[in-house]
Amino acid sequence: MVLALKKTGSRRATQRISPRKSPHQARSRDTVDAILRATARILVKHGYEGTTTNRVAEVAGVSVGSLYQYFPGKEALVAALVERHQAEMLEALKPDPAMLGLPLDELVPRLCEAMLRAHAVNPALDSVLYEVAPRLGKPPTVLRDTGVALVKAILEIHGPKLRPLDPDLTAFMVVKTVEGLCHEATLSRPELLKDPRFLDEMSELLLRYVRPG
Amino acid sequence: MVLALKKTGSRRATQRISPRKSPHQARSRDTVDAILRATARILVKHGYEGTTTNRVAEVAGVSVGSLYQYFPGKEALVAALVERHQAEMLEALKPDPAMLGLPLDELVPRLCEAMLRAHAVNPALDSVLYEVAPRLGKPPTVLRDTGVALVKAILEIHGPKLRPLDPDLTAFMVVKTVEGLCHEATLSRPELLKDPRFLDEMSELLLRYVRPG
Amino acid sequence: MVLALKKTGSRRATQRISPRKSPHQARSRDTVDAILRATARILVKHGYEGTTTNRVAEVAGVSVGSLYQYFPGKEALVAALVERHQAEMLEALKPDPAMLGLPLDELVPRLCEAMLRAHAVNPALDSVLYEVAPRLGKPPTVLRDTGVALVKAILEIHGPKLRPLDPDLTAFMVVKTVEGLCHEATLSRPELLKDPRFLDEMSELLLRYVRPG
Amino acid sequence: MVLALKKTGSRRATQRISPRKSPHQARSRDTVDAILRATARILVKHGYEGTTTNRVAEVAGVSVGSLYQYFPGKEALVAALVERHQAEMLEALKPDPAMLGLPLDELVPRLCEAMLRAHAVNPALDSVLYEVAPRLGKPPTVLRDTGVALVKAILEIHGPKLRPLDPDLTAFMVVKTVEGLCHEATLSRPELLKDPRFLDEMSELLLRYVRPG
DNA sequence: TATGAATGAGACTTCATTCAT
DNA sequence: CATGAATGAAGTCTCATTCAT
């Protein structure tokens, strides 16, 4: 007879995702920093499964204990990295307010370029995080609701000069197209991220999509 | 054939990827089938880490031993599932040769629809496999070189009626755009996969991209 | 800022106590047996804290994995031992039905003797289990409700020849007195368990307690 | 003074038991007090294993460092609590010298009542400490040799009015019976500690045991 | 003296894989 | 071929204790 146990699914069903403490003192901040940096390196090199808390701690030059002082587990660790990485990308994407006044023909390439630049910083890390994010309950994409909202706003501003379109759906299309392309390029042809022809085509794709006619 | 994979940090470093034996007899085929079906279910429910060979065997109703009779290890197991799933999708996408003669305005929607239909079959499984494939050294996307080649062919056939374009790059753009959108939709708004408006927009996006003017 | 986590108290708050599988085959039964035997030895020698699953497995001559195949954790392991040990003691205490017809003056010494004999088998293990049982949610004493019920029945049978008394309370007093004395003796003067004078005094104590006058 | 304890399998083998410094100043006394109070609370709530020095310090509102300023380790901490608790109980039990002159029929109930009162103060703490004491090399019972000696003295004073008995063994029986009953009641029916019927029965049990006839 | 970040040995536990039956 | 008990390397995580500030 086999007593069936409640299966727990993944290794730790009740894994807390949120960090444990926020680092106050400079020492702590350094520790957390080193840990996240190490996580990124290992994640890129060994993938999620190959990323172990011990290895991270070792590479970070701290003890496992310290790691667990700030992160309740592996998931939280990676989640924090995702968070941080996305924040950095968003930072890199923050649109110059002046830019928004530009005609679409100039605005779109600029935004695309920002996007590509953001992805070109660390494509390898990008890939892994993109792959890993869903498991952490995080949407993998950088441009989330904010991005869609921004695009929708732009579409509405330029509405009169565009073909008739549903701003919500179109914004979704635009954002996801860009992100999809960036991601696909990152995965299969990272050199494209810096190739001006790729930028041109992407802009062309989007502009033609919304232009009247 | 036995492939040594790069050490992944997973429990067993040396891993063979190809199935151990081909299921010649009916019973074997059933067993393999049950195992892959179980793998899919568990993968969807618990993710890659939560997928254990023992659990798979249990759900499939066979012993672990039997599982290892057909698959040399966990990776091979999942790889086989990816393989099979992508084959099924490609099957669903196989273009009716007659279709290729259609004008682009009809062809593109048809292809897009096929693509969406293929993704709509089991979006959840799709997501996981997409996430898991890179770790197995497989390209995650369904449309690989074949897809790009097909599109390039189509572009060349219809060349005269299109704006001047680089068939290689454009084929890449087109394929990746479609796949990116499908994937993004699968992940964040699976209901769109069956929404005709999504299909329309996707077609519009692509057609406008290649049409002259 | 310190984010307070739900404190979990002991190391594993949700520790399952019940065994995992029941051993069918002879091989399994031997394994379980060896494990419990080893647990007893280590518990006696190193106490609860010093009892680790690894050490138990090692002493039992099996792998940790096997241990965890049958017991979900340390607590369950010890709980099973408590269970088994108490069952053995109860077995040793099972009163000869004929005995119950004896006059109290003979019955009481016999029961006491059985009790002392039961405790004398492995006083050291007794002590530890007694000490450890409460933590496992088990009542530490061997004679639980059954014992009290038995004594109550005896009291009622012999009622007319006794002083007036409340059978419930008296049964509790009697049982707990005997167990208390056995336990105290086990702890501080185990040699008394085999000393006939101790048996005599215990009988005297109880008989005087219930005799009229 | 530094004592090496037998290796217990706990995290740090070498452990000192005696407090590090005596709290001379008022602030120190308060700190020590807070720490012991916290220890008691946590011990009751989480058991010995769930009692961590960090948690104790936190609850006590001091830093771990401070805790270690006053106690050389976890064992010493708990040992100090046991010590203090037993001292308090002994204090509560200190017999009024006048009382010793009373006839047994009055003396015994008074002593029993004192005993019960002492146990009723904090039965929960009592239980844990009782469980924990052996591990610290302390006898778990409150009434140790002193108690037995006291009872022996009483028995000898009242000797002529009692049945013939061995004062040593009888004193042991009496003390252990009382402690056993108190402990058993604490564990399984704490409400009895305040029930006058329990007191009556306990007195009756003891008096009948020593009275002639 | 107090603080609390850091340490790291070692406990617990899992699960891919093997192999005797 | 199937079975499933057994294995044990390796991962996760804790917590008693120290020590720089």
Side-chain angles (χ1 to χ4, degrees):
Chain A
M1 180 189 46
V2 173
L3 301 182
L5 289 184
K6 300 190 220 57
K7 294 304 165 57
T8 51
S10 55
R11 204 170 289 217
R12 300 186 62 238
T14 315
Q15 172 71 56
R16 278 169 288 282
I17 281 284
S18 43
R20 272 189 164 153
K21 301 188 191 177
S22 311
H24 285 314
Q25 310 176 3
R27 185 158 56 133
S28 316
R29 247 200 326 284
D30 291 353
T31 301
V32 167
D33 228 65
I35 291 172
L36 288 180
R37 223 189 297 290
T39 306
R41 283 221 337 245
I42 296 174
L43 218 37
V44 165
K45 198 162 167 191
H46 301 282
Y48 186 73
E49 325 249 31
T51 300
T52 72
T53 48
N54 283 298
R55 185 131 55 168
V56 168
E58 190 188 359
V59 169
V62 303
S63 67
V64 229
S66 290
L67 189 158
Y68 278 93
Q69 194 127 56
Y70 296 104
F71 304 96
K74 184 181 167 179
E75 293 204 338
L77 187 58
V78 179
L81 184 62
V82 169
E83 202 77 356
R84 182 162 130 158
H85 182 73
Q86 292 193 347
E88 282 170 9
M89 287 191 85
L90 279 176
E91 189 58 30
L93 287 172
K94 190 170 288 171
D96 177 357
M99 204 194 281
L100 296 181
L102 294 176
L104 271 192
D105 286 1
E106 293 184 40
L107 177 56
V108 166
R110 297 240 188 144
L111 289 176
C112 287
E113 202 225 330
M115 194 73 179
L116 287 170
R117 220 181 324 110
H119 279 84
V121 173
N122 194 344
L125 180 56
D126 248 46
S127 293
V128 208
L129 293 187
Y130 196 99
E131 169 191 300
V132 145
R135 249 193 305 228
L136 309 174
K138 312 230 168 226
T141 54
V142 196
L143 298 182
R144 281 161 291 177
D145 305 332
T146 351
V148 178
L150 173 66
V151 171
K152 188 183 164 196
I154 295 177
L155 287 175
E156 281 169 341
I157 291 171
H158 294 269
K161 290 165 291 180
L162 306 178
R163 69 170 170 102
L165 44 75
D166 169 348
D168 275 311
L169 184 51
T170 309
F172 179 83
M173 297 294 296
V174 165
V175 165
K176 293 309 180 185
T177 295
V178 172
E179 291 209 308
L181 280 171
C182 285
H183 182 227
E184 297 287 346
T186 302
L187 279 185
S188 60
R189 296 182 56 188
E191 78 282 7
L192 284 182
L193 294 172
K194 298 189 159 172
D195 186 330
R197 291 161 57 234
F198 189 53
L199 168 58
D200 288 347
E201 290 297 314
M202 199 188 278
S203 308
E204 195 65 24
L205 178 64
L206 297 177
L207 283 170
R208 286 172 164 263
Y209 177 48
V210 297
R211 275 203 285 248
Chain B
M1 178 186 47
V2 173
L3 299 178
L5 284 189
K6 55 185 176 330
K7 189 176 181 311
T8 55
S10 58
R11 220 162 276 232
R12 294 294 182 275
T14 306
Q15 181 67 69
R16 285 130 304 183
I17 277 286
S18 49
R20 244 172 193 169
K21 61 169 73 170
S22 321
H24 285 307
Q25 303 155 20
R27 191 147 62 106
S28 306
R29 241 195 337 280
D30 290 353
T31 302
V32 166
D33 225 65
I35 292 172
L36 288 181
R37 224 191 297 290
T39 307
R41 279 211 354 232
I42 296 174
L43 218 37
V44 165
K45 200 162 165 190
H46 300 287
Y48 186 74
E49 307 227 76
T51 299
T52 73
T53 49
N54 283 291
R55 206 187 318 223
V56 167
E58 189 190 356
V59 170
V62 302
S63 65
V64 229
S66 292
L67 189 156
Y68 277 88
Q69 202 104 55
Y70 294 104
F71 301 95
K74 184 183 171 178
E75 294 206 337
L77 182 61
V78 178
L81 183 64
V82 170
E83 203 75 0
R84 179 161 130 161
H85 182 73
Q86 291 192 349
E88 282 170 7
M89 288 191 85
L90 278 176
E91 188 59 29
L93 286 172
K94 187 169 291 169
D96 177 356
M99 204 193 282
L100 295 182
L102 293 177
L104 270 194
D105 286 1
E106 292 182 42
L107 178 55
V108 166
R110 296 240 189 146
L111 289 176
C112 286
E113 201 224 331
M115 194 71 180
L116 288 171
R117 219 180 327 109
H119 278 84
V121 173
N122 193 344
L125 180 56
D126 249 47
S127 293
V128 209
L129 293 187
Y130 197 100
E131 177 190 323
V132 148
R135 255 190 303 233
L136 307 173
K138 312 233 168 221
T141 54
V142 197
L143 299 181
R144 282 161 288 176
D145 305 331
T146 351
V148 177
L150 173 67
V151 170
K152 187 182 167 198
I154 294 176
L155 287 175
E156 283 169 339
I157 291 172
H158 293 269
K161 290 165 293 179
L162 305 178
R163 68 171 171 102
L165 42 76
D166 170 348
D168 275 313
L169 183 52
T170 310
F172 179 83
M173 296 295 294
V174 165
V175 165
K176 292 310 181 187
T177 296
V178 172
E179 290 210 308
L181 279 172
C182 285
H183 182 227
E184 297 285 346
T186 301
L187 279 186
S188 61
R189 294 184 56 187
E191 77 284 5
L192 283 182
L193 295 173
K194 297 188 161 173
D195 187 331
R197 291 159 59 232
F198 189 54
L199 169 58
D200 288 348
E201 290 295 314
M202 197 188 281
S203 308
E204 193 66 24
L205 178 64
L206 297 176
L207 284 171
R208 287 173 163 262
Y209 177 49
V210 296
R211 276 203 286 247
Chain C
M1 178 189 42
V2 173
L3 301 181
L5 290 183
K6 299 190 222 61
K7 294 304 168 53
T8 52
S10 57
R11 203 169 290 217
R12 300 185 61 238
T14 314
Q15 173 71 56
R16 280 170 286 283
I17 280 286
S18 44
R20 269 185 167 156
K21 301 188 191 177
S22 311
H24 286 313
Q25 311 177 1
R27 187 158 56 133
S28 317
R29 247 199 327 282
D30 290 353
T31 301
V32 168
D33 228 65
I35 291 172
L36 288 181
R37 224 190 296 290
T39 308
R41 283 222 337 247
I42 296 174
L43 217 38
V44 166
K45 199 160 165 192
H46 301 281
Y48 185 73
E49 325 250 29
T51 300
T52 73
T53 49
N54 284 295
R55 182 129 59 166
V56 167
E58 190 189 358
V59 170
V62 303
S63 69
V64 231
S66 290
L67 188 158
Y68 278 91
Q69 195 126 53
Y70 297 103
F71 304 96
K74 184 180 166 179
E75 293 205 337
L77 187 58
V78 179
L81 185 62
V82 169
E83 202 78 354
R84 180 162 132 159
H85 182 73
Q86 291 192 349
E88 283 170 8
M89 287 191 84
L90 278 175
E91 188 60 29
L93 287 171
K94 190 170 290 168
D96 177 357
M99 205 195 279
L100 295 182
L102 293 177
L104 271 192
D105 286 2
E106 292 183 42
L107 177 57
V108 166
R110 296 236 189 148
L111 290 175
C112 287
E113 201 225 329
M115 196 70 181
L116 287 171
R117 219 181 325 111
H119 278 84
V121 173
N122 195 342
L125 181 55
D126 247 48
S127 293
V128 206
L129 293 186
Y130 195 99
E131 171 191 301
V132 147
R135 247 189 310 219
L136 309 173
K138 312 230 168 223
T141 55
V142 197
L143 300 180
R144 283 160 289 178
D145 305 331
T146 349
V148 177
L150 173 67
V151 171
K152 188 182 164 196
I154 295 176
L155 288 174
E156 281 168 342
I157 292 172
H158 293 271
K161 289 166 292 179
L162 306 178
R163 69 171 171 103
L165 44 75
D166 170 347
D168 274 312
L169 185 52
T170 309
F172 178 84
M173 298 294 297
V174 165
V175 164
K176 293 311 180 184
T177 296
V178 171
E179 291 210 308
L181 280 171
C182 285
H183 182 228
E184 297 286 347
T186 302
L187 279 185
S188 60
R189 295 182 56 188
E191 77 283 4
L192 284 183
L193 295 172
K194 297 189 159 172
D195 186 331
R197 291 160 58 233
F198 189 53
L199 169 58
D200 288 347
E201 290 297 313
M202 199 188 278
S203 307
E204 194 66 26
L205 177 66
L206 297 177
L207 284 170
R208 286 172 164 265
Y209 177 49
V210 296
R211 275 204 286 247
Chain D
M1 178 183 46
V2 173
L3 299 177
L5 282 189
K6 55 186 175 329
K7 188 174 181 312
T8 55
S10 59
R11 219 162 278 230
R12 294 293 182 277
T14 308
Q15 180 66 70
R16 284 130 306 184
I17 278 285
S18 49
R20 247 174 189 167
K21 62 168 73 167
S22 321
H24 285 306
Q25 303 155 19
R27 189 147 63 105
S28 307
R29 240 196 337 280
D30 289 354
T31 302
V32 167
D33 225 64
I35 292 173
L36 288 181
R37 225 190 298 287
T39 307
R41 278 210 356 231
I42 296 174
L43 218 38
V44 165
K45 201 161 164 192
H46 300 286
Y48 185 74
E49 306 227 77
T51 300
T52 72
T53 49
N54 283 291
R55 205 187 316 226
V56 167
E58 190 190 355
V59 169
V62 303
S63 65
V64 228
S66 292
L67 188 156
Y68 277 88
Q69 201 105 56
Y70 294 106
F71 302 95
K74 184 183 171 178
E75 295 206 335
L77 182 60
V78 179
L81 184 62
V82 169
E83 202 76 358
R84 179 163 129 161
H85 182 74
Q86 292 191 349
E88 282 170 10
M89 288 191 84
L90 279 174
E91 187 61 28
L93 287 170
K94 189 170 290 169
D96 177 356
M99 204 194 280
L100 295 182
L102 292 177
L104 272 192
D105 287 1
E106 291 183 42
L107 177 55
V108 166
R110 296 239 189 145
L111 290 175
C112 287
E113 202 226 328
M115 195 72 180
L116 288 172
R117 219 180 327 111
H119 279 84
V121 172
N122 194 344
L125 181 55
D126 247 48
S127 292
V128 207
L129 293 186
Y130 197 99
E131 176 190 323
V132 147
R135 255 191 303 236
L136 308 173
K138 311 235 169 218
T141 54
V142 197
L143 299 180
R144 283 161 289 177
D145 305 332
T146 350
V148 177
L150 172 67
V151 171
K152 186 180 167 198
I154 296 177
L155 286 173
E156 282 167 341
I157 293 173
H158 292 269
K161 287 166 292 178
L162 306 179
R163 70 171 169 102
L165 43 75
D166 170 349
D168 274 313
L169 184 51
T170 309
F172 179 83
M173 296 295 296
V174 165
V175 165
K176 292 311 179 184
T177 295
V178 170
E179 290 210 307
L181 279 172
C182 285
H183 182 227
E184 297 287 344
T186 301
L187 279 185
S188 60
R189 296 182 56 187
E191 78 281 6
L192 284 183
L193 296 172
K194 296 187 159 175
D195 186 330
R197 290 160 60 233
F198 189 54
L199 169 57
D200 288 348
E201 290 296 313
M202 198 187 280
S203 308
E204 193 68 25
L205 178 65
L206 299 176
L207 285 172
R208 285 172 164 263
Y209 178 48
V210 297
R211 275 204 286 246

